[in-house]
Amino acid sequence: MTPPTPDAIRGAVDARRDEIVQMLLDIVGISSVTGNEGDVQRWVATALTGFGLDVDSFTSSREEIADYVTHVGEQPSYDDRPSVVATRTGAGGGQSLMLAGHVDTVPVEDRSKWTFAPEGEVAGDRLYGLGSTDMKNGVIAAMVVPRILEDLGITLKGDLLVNTVVGEEDGGLGTMSTILHGYKADGIVITEPTYQRVGIASGGSLVFRITVTGKAAHGANRNDGVSAIEKFVPIFLDLLAWEAERQRTIMHPLYDSFANKFPISVGKLRSGDWASTVPDKLVAEGRLGFIPGESMEGMMEQAQARIAAVAEQDEWLREHPPLLEFFSGQFVAEEIAPDHPLTLAMLKAHKEINGEDTEIFALTAGTDARLWIHFADRPALLYGGGVFHMAHQSDEYLEIEPFLNSIAVLTQMAIDWCEIA
Ligand SMILES: [Zn+2]
């Protein structure tokens, strides 16, 4: 059959406009803060089954994730946190495509800061609600694409998979679980809120803890003690110097426009318990960023060496070396090439529907794309209609037009990538 025109694809999306917006309102209305995703995943599985897809739903266990726990984080619970994979089987002979998204959201921090209902509300051309942009709109887009293909009477050669996952905000449990359950595709598009730009690189991060030891004394005899705070100062200044040095010397075409490519941020300091006592201990916790091309292990070694070099300059620290530890979820940095076939196909699909080019970009934050690239050796990128800067904000909203448009683009992408049978 001849491929549908971009207008026909957009028309098929518009014909289901009310139903799609209602689906988004429904899913936003189901609370799914990270760790409590059971209800929303049952809703997703039921809807996808109703669309005629083969639906699989599975949970993970502590044992299964054990080898990957540094990458996806320790989970308080694995119970009732299913991942869902739905398959629209192709006729054969084409590439497979997976459309993927996370159903979990961060909690509502302060309800009084919300003008609109976090449970979902349409106002004008926007849909407000917790998770509306990050990223329940992307989940609905992924779910609806097979339906639009059905409306257009299209059979694809390659399989089209829809994957909805849990635990993304916390490190990526659901995506790791999907990989470990053997699911894969020749290309993965994660429908995160990129506002219809193509995200091809995810930054890495290490969460660290530095413990500095001092010697307690009465503040009135402070020369008898050693302040752990004073001993931390040169370490802290060196972290900032290292950040600046990296910014100057390490280049990457997708990151060079960032004012800070490698944010090193100390987010928590704890020291002392009495105003007139010299503190004998300081604990600093923070986050160290890095970019694709840099390995996680290499960054850990560099950080160790850097702190050891500072300690070497100081008699006390030489004898009482600061302790550096890494804890919580650690994110590897991964990317696919700007001219990777998946990138090119995504750019082309966007242009076919919109008549103009979009841009590629990189993130300093980590995304689930890194897990597909790193652990499954599969190309993954981000493309969605949500508003990027509204993620994790009060009055989080989605603009309905770009959202509907993203569904048309993703349908075009499925047609181009999997090919019409
Ligand atoms: Zn997200």
Side-chain angles (χ1 to χ4, degrees):
M1 84 178 260
T2 47
T5 62
D7 283 348
I9 295 174
R10 187 54 219 246
V13 174
D14 285 337
R16 288 196 182 269
R17 181 196 165 98
D18 292 348
E19 179 190 332
I20 293 168
V21 172
Q22 188 57 49
M23 276 179 79
L24 182 54
L25 268 177
D26 290 346
I27 195 174
V28 168
I30 305 170
S31 172
S32 55
V33 174
T34 309
N36 291 291
E37 301 102 335
D39 287 345
V40 79
Q41 287 288 60
R42 272 183 287 278
W43 181 90
V44 167
T46 304
L48 288 169
T49 305
F51 295 168
L53 304 185
D54 281 330
V55 180
D56 185 14
S57 186
F58 48 90
T59 51
S60 254
S61 64
R62 194 171 300 276
E63 296 68 44
E64 186 183 57
I65 295 295
D67 288 347
Y68 307 92
V69 78
T70 51
H71 293 277
V72 303
E74 196 63 60
Q75 307 296 318
S77 169
Y78 291 84
D79 294 340
D80 199 27
R81 304 184 65 192
S83 292
V84 174
V85 176
T87 308
R88 185 177 191 260
T89 307
Q95 304 182 101
S96 56
L97 180 70
M98 177 185 277
L99 303 175
H102 66 86
V103 294
D104 61 316
T105 70
V106 294
V108 174
E109 285 299 345
D110 181 357
R111 214 191 152 100
S112 69
K113 288 193 181 144
W114 282 75
T115 321
F116 297 90
E119 295 79 17
E121 182 177 347
V122 174
D125 53 7
R126 291 176 175 179
L127 190 152
Y128 290 83
L130 183 67
S132 56
T133 204
D134 184 18
M135 57 166 286
K136 287 180 169 173
N137 79 91
V139 168
I140 297 299
M143 291 169 70
V144 163
V145 168
R147 200 148 164 76
I148 301 298
L149 290 168
E150 208 62 47
D151 291 346
L152 293 165
I154 290 172
T155 304
L156 297 173
K157 288 184 183 171
D159 293 348
L160 177 64
L161 292 86
V162 178
N163 175 216
T164 66
V165 297
V166 301
E168 190 275 345
E169 299 288 0
D170 216 12
L173 171 67
T175 295
M176 198 68 237
S177 172
T178 301
I179 293 169
L180 293 175
H181 277 78
Y183 284 102
K184 53 184 182 249
D186 296 314
I188 293 114
V189 175
I190 301 179
T191 49
E192 286 274 14
T194 67
Y195 212 40
Q196 298 198 271
R197 296 182 302 152
V198 180
I200 60 169
S202 305
S205 69
L206 291 171
V207 180
F208 64 82
R209 178 185 299 123
I210 302 169
T211 306
V212 181
T213 309
K215 186 177 162 218
H218 193 293
N221 305 319
R222 89 172 191 91
N223 288 19
D224 293 344
V226 176
S227 163
I229 295 175
E230 285 175 36
K231 293 300 172 192
F232 176 63
V233 170
I235 298 171
F236 179 61
L237 292 177
D238 186 66
L239 287 177
L240 296 183
W242 187 31
E243 182 190 59
E245 190 183 305
R246 284 165 55 66
Q247 176 72 14
R248 264 195 328 273
T249 55
I250 300 175
M251 297 300 155
H252 186 298
L254 285 175
Y255 284 90
D256 287 343
S257 61
F258 285 76
N260 192 347
K261 292 178 263 196
F262 314 97
I264 301 180
S265 172
V266 173
K268 204 167 151 186
L269 269 186
R270 207 167 60 238
S271 184
D273 19 52
W274 198 248
S276 58
T277 299
V278 175
D280 64 353
K281 188 176 171 184
L282 176 143
V283 179
E285 292 179 357
R287 177 236 189 240
L288 193 163
F290 55 102
I291 61 172
E294 299 186 290
S295 82
M296 200 166 93
E297 295 73 18
M299 290 311 301
M300 288 176 169
E301 282 166 23
Q302 285 185 56
Q304 285 289 6
R306 200 84 200 188
I307 290 173
V310 174
E312 200 46 48
Q313 304 296 311
D314 181 282
E315 203 185 323
W316 174 266
L317 289 176
R318 256 201 310 275
E319 280 159 25
H320 305 85
L323 175 68
L324 172 66
E325 300 164 283
F326 298 98
F327 68 104
S328 186
Q330 315 294 0
F331 286 39
V332 290
E334 289 292 354
E335 65 183 333
I336 61 171
D339 61 353
H340 189 284
L342 188 68
T343 312
L344 296 179
M346 197 69 246
L347 291 169
K348 178 164 167 273
H350 177 94
K351 189 169 187 177
E352 282 168 323
I353 294 295
N354 293 285
E356 54 186 44
D357 288 318
T358 184
E359 55 181 29
I360 54 177
F361 76 107
L363 295 93
T364 49
T367 71
D368 274 3
R370 79 193 193 280
L371 298 172
W372 283 109
I373 299 169
H374 194 80
F375 292 106
D377 198 22
R378 298 286 152 163
L381 56 72
L382 313 181
Y383 180 92
V387 190
F388 197 47
H389 62 270
M390 281 315 294
H392 304 195
Q393 307 284 327
S394 52
D395 281 341
E396 177 178 347
Y397 66 80
L398 169 83
E399 293 174 14
I400 293 170
E401 264 317 301
F403 162 55
L404 295 172
N405 194 264
S406 75
I407 298 172
V409 172
L410 292 165
T411 305
Q412 181 75 63
M413 176 69 178
I415 292 169
D416 293 349
W417 185 260
C418 304
E419 296 177 79
I420 292 179

